Amino acid sequence: IDHRTTKDTWERLYSVSPHLDDVVPKRHYGSLSDDEKAFCNFVKEHKQEVMLYNLQNELYVITNGCKDDVGYIIDHKGGQITFKNFGAPITKIHIDYINIRCGEELCRYEGKESSNYTEIILPNETITFIVDAVAYCKMGEEEYKNLKDWSMFKDLVPDEIPFDQYEIQITLWNQYNQEFIFKIKLYKEGRRFYRDVIQLKNK
């Protein structure tokens, strides 16, 4: 029901990166708490995957596009997405994959097999995921200063948002262990984003 970027909480967690700019607030691995270090270590192990993680009582969905072992930069707490359950109680969620399109470039992240959310979500209850990504795009000082919080389905798309389409496939289970598969499409037309939710099948 909602997807927003949040500048005030956005920071970058990093290890080895000689090219990291000084515009976005950042913290080196060595300065992190033990919980945050464990989070970074977990994320680093799962390249080209999307995973769920509970850090300090907050639920994260993370895409890792890193292809080497040199180091990493995690765009941390840069956004959040909120879902509402309009159906029966949900007992488990798995993200099967996420495709992100930017112009002609398509990035695909396969869902980590054992990465599930298993807290019960009752009818009409909402759940919020914080969105993290292992990625890095340079941002100029003026560009960062002008960046505002942005609600994907309410506001015009800022120039700083390069993405054209997200495709997310998720599998849900209800209290009878029945399995339902949905595809969520978030796509840009002109200066606005729209969404479609398609039920593919149930077992």
Side-chain angles (χ1 to χ4, degrees):
I1 61 172
D2 188 39
H3 188 304
R4 62 180 59 244
T5 59
T6 47
K7 179 181 176 181
D8 289 345
T9 58
W10 177 28
E11 62 178 349
R12 284 173 166 162
L13 310 181
Y14 72 103
S15 58
V16 179
S17 181
H19 306 297
L20 186 59
D21 61 49
D22 291 321
V23 177
V24 181
K26 61 184 185 294
R27 287 189 292 150
H28 186 268
Y29 179 87
S31 70
L32 304 180
S33 68
D34 289 344
D35 286 348
E36 289 170 328
K37 287 179 179 177
F39 168 74
C40 291
N41 294 340
F42 174 84
V43 172
K44 186 180 178 182
E45 290 171 3
H46 300 285
K47 297 176 178 61
Q48 303 301 306
E49 288 185 318
V50 55
M51 63 218 84
L52 300 173
Y53 196 95
N54 194 309
L55 173 63
Q56 298 169 347
N57 296 318
E58 293 181 308
L59 185 61
Y60 289 79
V61 55
I62 312 110
T63 54
N64 183 353
C66 190
K67 296 181 180 178
D68 57 50
D69 293 314
V70 176
Y72 59 84
I73 302 164
I74 301 176
D75 274 317
H76 186 53
K77 290 191 174 184
Q80 64 182 38
I81 185 166
T82 301
F83 293 97
K84 185 172 183 177
N85 178 15
F86 290 102
I90 297 170
T91 58
K92 186 167 72 171
I93 298 175
H94 181 263
I95 300 177
D96 303 328
Y97 68 82
I98 294 181
N99 287 336
I100 302 176
R101 182 173 295 280
C102 179
E104 296 300 316
E105 184 179 358
L106 177 67
C107 297
R108 183 180 176 93
Y109 305 93
E110 298 294 339
K112 185 179 183 307
E113 185 175 349
S114 60
S115 184
N116 300 298
Y117 180 76
T118 55
E119 298 292 329
I120 294 174
I121 308 168
L122 297 173
N124 295 313
E125 196 170 48
T126 60
I127 179 172
T128 297
F129 297 89
I130 296 173
V131 180
D132 276 20
V134 182
Y136 176 56
C137 60
K138 284 193 173 183
M139 180 165 287
E141 188 172 346
E142 193 68 21
E143 193 178 13
Y144 179 76
K145 185 176 73 174
N146 293 332
L147 185 64
K148 310 291 184 187
D149 287 359
W150 171 60
S151 180
M152 175 179 275
F153 306 120
K154 296 177 182 177
D155 303 330
L156 296 177
V157 181
D159 294 336
E160 295 82 10
I161 303 296
F163 306 110
D164 298 310
Q165 181 177 300
Y166 299 78
E167 184 178 276
I168 307 163
Q169 182 173 301
I170 61 173
T171 301
L172 308 176
W173 287 260
N174 65 14
Q175 71 269 41
Y176 306 111
N177 205 34
Q178 293 174 304
E179 183 179 311
F180 299 83
I181 300 176
F182 292 88
K183 183 178 289 186
I184 302 168
K185 288 187 175 182
L186 314 176
Y187 55 95
K188 184 167 64 176
E189 290 187 356
R191 293 289 307 279
R192 290 194 178 276
F193 263 96
Y194 300 88
R195 61 195 162 191
D196 290 333
V197 179
I198 305 160
Q199 183 173 344
L200 299 181
K201 65 177 181 177
N202 63 282
K203 295 180 180 180

